[in-house]
Amino acid sequence: REFPCACYCPPLWYRLFLPLTPVPAPGMYGKPSSAMMPGRRRKMNLLAICLAVVVPWLSFMAVAVALGFGLRFSMPPLAYLVLFAALGYGVSLVASAVAASKQTEAARSYREPSWTAYLGLMVLVGALCGYSFASFVYSTHMGPFYSTSNLNVYSGINPSQKTGRAVMDVGRAYFTSDSVLDLDKAVGFKNQDLYCVVPITVPGSQQKNYDFWAVGTNCCRGLIPQFRCGEYANVNAKAGLRIVRDEDRPFYRLAVQQSEAANNITAQHPIFLTWVQDPVNELHHLRDAGMRSVTVAAFAFFLFNGACTMLAAHLYSKL
């Protein structure tokens, strides 16, 4: 329909989501564009659509890789700089769209304010989703992988003779062939999850200090001596992978204190380990799980962003 006058300016909410091609001010160059007539669709800008599909995905991937993998471990400030750069870029696009929408149709240069606003919003969504994913994968897989890999390796540890103070920097511990789990002293501490511990000992030895503990979550029965964590049933398991998650260690320490009180033993400097046969293989599992997670997340976000972009293009074509 005809606009009431050539100086008509649509409201702000409408101008932020203008169609893909600039429209002259009504009456400035003759009759209104035929794209404004009822039942007519606007021509889509394929370049803008492609950018809207790719750029937010790149924002997601850049943040996810920077904060979920080695860069966060080796250079945390640089990793967070990637996040702030992505957020800043998204904010700048939205601000540019708002500024362009405030110009009159006559003064507006050839821009795509509608796609600029959409692109900025999706870049912000990609950065925030990338940060959420990176926090998850780093805390569960890649953080423990990098931390444990950079700790020391000790072989031939006799738990009845060696103390935890002597191997405070252990990441992978290999025990003597006669080392076993003393399942009679297994204890669990309940705090939402059940934190299970059992001392690593040498049968028949007069062990004064119990500093090496196999641990796990939700794999025991509290105060009832039972332990089903790690490779507890593998007779060839004589090694341990260090637990490095800071949020878990206080609860394992409380479980050890319960075992000390119940069994009249002493643990001055307890070291918490996952009981396994091959610690290196366990490290590889952590790394591979992180890689699989980022692959699945990248594919999922690409599909999500593509669907949002197609929906936006469909809605824009009807304005």
Side-chain angles (χ1 to χ4, degrees):
R1 69 173 187 276
E2 295 288 347
F3 284 97
C5 66
C7 61
Y8 172 77
C9 184
L12 178 60
W13 67 267
Y14 178 83
R15 286 179 282 148
L16 280 175
F17 294 96
L18 286 172
L20 303 180
T21 53
V23 181
M28 183 174 293
Y29 302 109
K31 294 184 178 180
S33 170
S34 61
M36 293 298 294
M37 300 301 291
R40 300 293 296 273
R41 290 179 177 269
R42 294 184 180 277
K43 184 179 180 181
M44 292 290 99
N45 186 328
L46 294 180
L47 177 60
I49 294 176
C50 291
L51 290 175
V53 170
V54 174
V55 174
W57 181 78
L58 292 177
S59 173
F60 172 84
M61 289 300 300
V63 174
V65 171
L67 288 174
F69 292 87
L71 187 62
R72 180 174 181 174
F73 181 81
S74 58
M75 292 183 289
L78 183 57
Y80 280 97
L81 181 62
V82 174
L83 171 63
F84 295 140
L87 292 174
Y89 179 58
V91 171
S92 67
L93 288 175
V94 174
S96 174
V98 172
S101 69
K102 293 180 179 179
Q103 301 176 19
T104 63
E105 294 289 340
R108 183 176 299 155
S109 60
Y110 187 82
R111 288 185 175 183
E112 302 290 348
S114 59
W115 282 108
T116 303
Y118 172 82
L119 182 61
L121 290 174
M122 293 307 296
V123 166
L124 291 174
V125 170
L128 294 175
C129 289
Y131 175 72
S132 298
F133 166 77
S135 298
F136 164 76
V137 76
Y138 190 82
S139 64
T140 57
H141 301 304
M142 303 312 299
F145 168 76
Y146 291 119
S147 297
T148 308
S149 298
N150 281 273
L151 292 174
N152 217 335
V153 180
Y154 289 90
S155 302
I157 298 176
N158 188 326
S160 65
Q161 300 175 0
K162 187 80 70 173
T163 64
R165 179 180 291 181
V167 293
M168 293 297 289
D169 62 342
V170 63
R172 284 164 281 172
Y174 296 88
F175 295 92
T176 55
S177 59
D178 54 352
S179 301
V180 297
L181 303 180
D182 191 349
L183 298 176
D184 291 335
K185 296 181 175 64
V187 170
F189 177 81
K190 180 70 173 180
N191 181 43
Q192 294 183 340
D193 289 322
L194 188 59
Y195 294 86
C196 310
V197 300
V198 65
I200 303 170
T201 64
V202 175
S205 64
Q206 298 298 320
Q207 192 162 336
K208 296 181 179 180
N209 196 49
Y210 293 76
D211 276 352
F212 298 95
W213 295 77
V215 301
T217 54
N218 303 316
C219 48
C220 61
R221 290 187 179 180
L223 297 177
I224 301 176
Q226 185 188 66
F227 187 84
R228 298 290 186 268
C229 310
E231 299 182 34
Y232 71 96
N234 184 355
V235 296
N236 295 318
K238 303 292 180 181
L241 191 65
R242 182 75 172 268
I243 297 295
V244 294
R245 285 169 58 92
D246 292 334
E247 56 269 31
D248 291 340
R249 282 184 288 184
F251 301 112
Y252 288 132
R253 187 68 180 93
L254 291 172
V256 169
Q257 291 175 2
Q258 286 188 171
S259 183
E260 288 180 282
N263 299 291
N264 195 26
I265 59 177
T266 302
Q268 294 181 350
H269 300 282
I271 302 293
F272 305 125
L273 305 159
T274 301
W275 190 246
V276 295
Q277 179 178 351
D278 187 355
V280 174
N281 189 48
E282 292 301 312
L283 282 176
H284 291 168
H285 282 326
L286 286 174
R287 180 198 60 194
D288 295 343
M291 295 298 182
R292 286 193 299 270
S293 296
V294 74
T295 301
V296 172
F299 183 71
F301 186 82
F302 186 83
L303 291 181
F304 166 74
N305 183 53
C308 291
T309 302
M310 294 302 102
L311 177 61
H314 177 70
L315 294 176
Y316 288 165
S317 69
K318 293 187 174 181
L319 289 179

